[in-house]
Amino acid sequence: MKTEQGGLPLVSADYGWLYAVLCGFIVTVLVHPALAQTEDWEITTESEKALQSGLSWLSLNQGAEGNWGSNDLGLVSMGVLAFLADGHAPGRGKYGPVLQKAIDYLVDNARPSGLLNISNSQRDMYNHGLATFVLGQAHGTNTSQDQKLTRVLDRALKLIVNTQCDDGGWDYHARRKTSGHDLSLVVMQAKALRSAMDSGLRVPPEVVSLALRSVREHYAPKNGKRGAPEAEQREGPGQFAYGKGGGGGTTAMAAAGVVCLQEFGQYDDWRIIKNTRVLEEAIGRVAPPSRRDGKMPFDAYTLYYVGQALYQVSGDVWKRNYPQLRDHLVATQILSAQDPARHGSWRDVGARGGGRVGGKPGQLYGTAVACFILAIPNRYLPILQEGRIEALRSQREPTPDVNR
């Protein structure tokens, strides 16, 4: 990888057209306020108060190292995302020092290889993808050029490109193999690539094309005929699944697949509407909140993707379903003014209620995701800017052999 003199880092020097398209999109968003307007119904007085209480909890409980007591860079990244989503900037304003300290923790713990993971190696690419995505958003919202952040992003993106498996997916470990592991890893890396593109960084188009092909290969029709012609698959119900064989057809995977296709301009892909139906059905099954116990409508991981999927699909889908998620979070937020260790927080309940992340890290995860969901209508993040990137719609099926 090389860097232009005085310019942005390059993941590939051969794809200036994509760089130009994305930079043009960013400029269009910034100069066209109609693309970033909050609708009157999206934010309520109660939801704004809940968001600010959540951010206050994150600030008060961050700790001296800036990592909320966790060495999991993915979880720390979620804390960063919560503040960025509400328009806060590193080093400036009310939460500037809090945000800068968390970003510094991420950047300072990047490995020489570019890997953003210092916990269990089984979480290499999961944490790396999430941290790279969030740092890309920080880079895109930072008006002053942070050379250290740029260098870390440069190496992080190169690692993603170089560890993509032959089938377009990724392994949990930072290594290239013949086949990727599952859909969750594909979407995590793809979002990191899109985040970098939002910031003006260049990404080889064939990497994106392979990733999108992998996402589509994780779609499974419910009639079990996964190998059926596409025309036949369109006729019945189906959804994205964890594995290519159709196993693990969860709400989270349905949402993750939608998010990935939407963010790369595949708006007309027929799989989006089928998975959107899965999401709406899941939301319809959520029990009404009964008390302020910090329990979210879904586990933190699922809610993170569901909220983004609804927003990206937009229109009536967003308008029908977002208020339910928003109001559920408002109703379940823990309020205990005499206990700053709990006041304003939510907790991760796990996909099956067992607690995926426990203790203070679980509070960090739940509270950060809840704040992110409540802040989505602000549209401050580059990834949430509205407007279609038409050039990305050509990212369909790649050629079989891709030269790296």
Side-chain angles (χ1 to χ4, degrees):
M1 185 179 294
K2 59 183 180 179
T3 305
E4 291 179 335
Q5 185 67 31
L8 290 168
L10 308 179
V11 174
S12 168
D14 301 324
Y15 303 101
W17 67 271
L18 191 55
Y19 169 78
V21 169
L22 267 296
C23 282
F25 168 70
I26 295 167
V27 170
T28 300
V29 167
L30 292 177
V31 301
H32 198 321
L35 293 177
Q37 290 181 346
T38 299
E39 298 189 36
D40 292 340
W41 62 268
E42 293 176 310
I43 298 174
T44 66
T45 301
E46 294 77 14
S47 69
E48 178 61 20
K49 184 177 179 180
L51 170 59
Q52 297 310 317
S53 293
L55 294 178
S56 178
W57 183 91
L58 289 170
S59 174
L60 292 171
N61 291 274
Q62 183 184 32
E65 291 188 70
N67 65 343
W68 292 276
S70 173
N71 71 344
D72 188 300
L73 299 188
L75 292 182
V76 176
S77 296
M78 288 305 307
V80 171
L81 189 65
F83 288 103
L84 291 175
D86 194 43
H88 298 282
R92 303 194 305 275
K94 180 179 180 180
Y95 292 123
V98 174
L99 186 51
Q100 187 65 62
K101 191 159 49 173
I103 291 175
D104 287 345
Y105 184 83
L106 297 174
V107 170
D108 291 345
N109 280 287
R111 296 186 179 183
S113 65
L115 182 64
L116 292 166
N117 182 49
I118 56 175
S119 59
N120 192 307
S121 63
Q122 185 67 15
R123 295 184 62 79
D124 274 356
M125 294 310 293
Y126 186 85
N127 282 345
H128 181 81
L130 182 52
T132 302
F133 163 68
V134 172
L135 290 179
Q137 295 298 287
H139 187 279
T141 57
N142 198 346
T143 55
S144 60
Q145 196 170 30
D146 185 333
Q147 294 294 339
K148 188 173 183 180
L149 172 58
T150 300
R151 288 193 298 270
V152 167
L153 261 180
D154 190 30
R155 292 195 299 269
L157 289 166
K158 183 177 181 181
L159 186 142
I160 290 175
V161 170
N162 290 339
T163 57
Q164 186 178 35
C165 298
D166 295 346
D167 68 348
W170 280 266
D171 187 53
Y172 273 96
H173 297 274
R175 60 191 179 190
R176 185 179 180 186
K177 299 173 65 178
T178 302
S179 301
H181 194 277
D182 61 70
L183 179 59
S184 69
L185 288 163
V186 182
V187 174
M188 197 65 75
Q189 310 317 310
K191 282 184 63 64
L193 294 173
R194 169 61 200 273
S195 181
M197 293 159 71
D198 283 338
S199 299
L201 306 181
R202 300 181 186 177
V203 175
E206 73 271 20
V207 174
V208 175
S209 293
L210 275 172
L212 288 174
R213 186 176 75 180
S214 180
V215 169
R216 291 186 172 105
E217 288 175 348
H218 283 84
Y219 177 85
K222 287 192 175 180
N223 62 15
K225 297 180 181 178
R226 185 177 171 278
E230 188 169 306
E232 184 177 327
Q233 291 190 40
R234 290 183 184 216
E235 294 179 2
Q239 72 166 93
F240 289 112
Y242 183 80
K244 288 185 178 180
T250 64
T251 302
M253 291 300 95
V258 169
V259 168
C260 193
L261 291 178
Q262 286 282 136
E263 289 182 354
F264 280 100
Q266 310 302 294
Y267 310 110
D268 300 324
D269 192 299
W270 55 271
R271 300 167 186 83
I272 290 176
I273 187 63
K274 290 185 180 296
N275 282 273
T276 300
R277 290 173 185 150
V278 172
L279 302 184
E280 293 203 84
E281 289 171 3
I283 292 170
R285 293 192 297 269
V286 172
S290 58
R291 60 183 185 276
R292 292 191 173 277
D293 57 0
K295 185 176 180 180
M296 300 181 292
F298 298 100
D299 63 281
Y301 179 80
T302 300
L303 181 61
Y304 171 70
Y305 280 119
V306 168
Q308 291 177 83
L310 297 176
Y311 175 79
Q312 295 291 354
V313 173
S314 69
D316 290 341
V317 170
W318 171 245
K319 198 166 187 175
R320 277 197 305 268
N321 296 281
Y322 179 69
Q324 183 174 341
L325 301 184
R326 177 198 65 203
D327 296 345
H328 191 114
L329 291 173
V330 170
T332 59
Q333 184 180 37
I334 296 173
L335 298 181
S336 179
Q338 304 305 314
D339 186 0
R342 299 178 68 242
H343 182 68
S345 67
W346 289 268
R347 59 189 176 88
D348 180 31
V349 298
R352 294 175 177 81
R356 177 170 294 178
V357 182
K360 191 172 180 180
Q363 281 183 292
L364 163 62
Y365 195 18
T367 305
V369 169
C371 288
F372 170 64
I373 297 299
L374 292 175
I376 284 178
N378 291 325
R379 295 165 173 80
Y380 288 132
L381 294 172
I383 203 74
L384 297 178
Q385 298 292 343
E386 294 170 351
R388 295 188 170 192
I389 306 176
E390 295 303 325
L392 292 181
R393 300 186 69 174
S394 64
Q395 300 293 338
R396 300 292 181 181
E397 294 297 323
T399 54
D401 297 316
V402 175
N403 296 319
R404 304 226 174 204

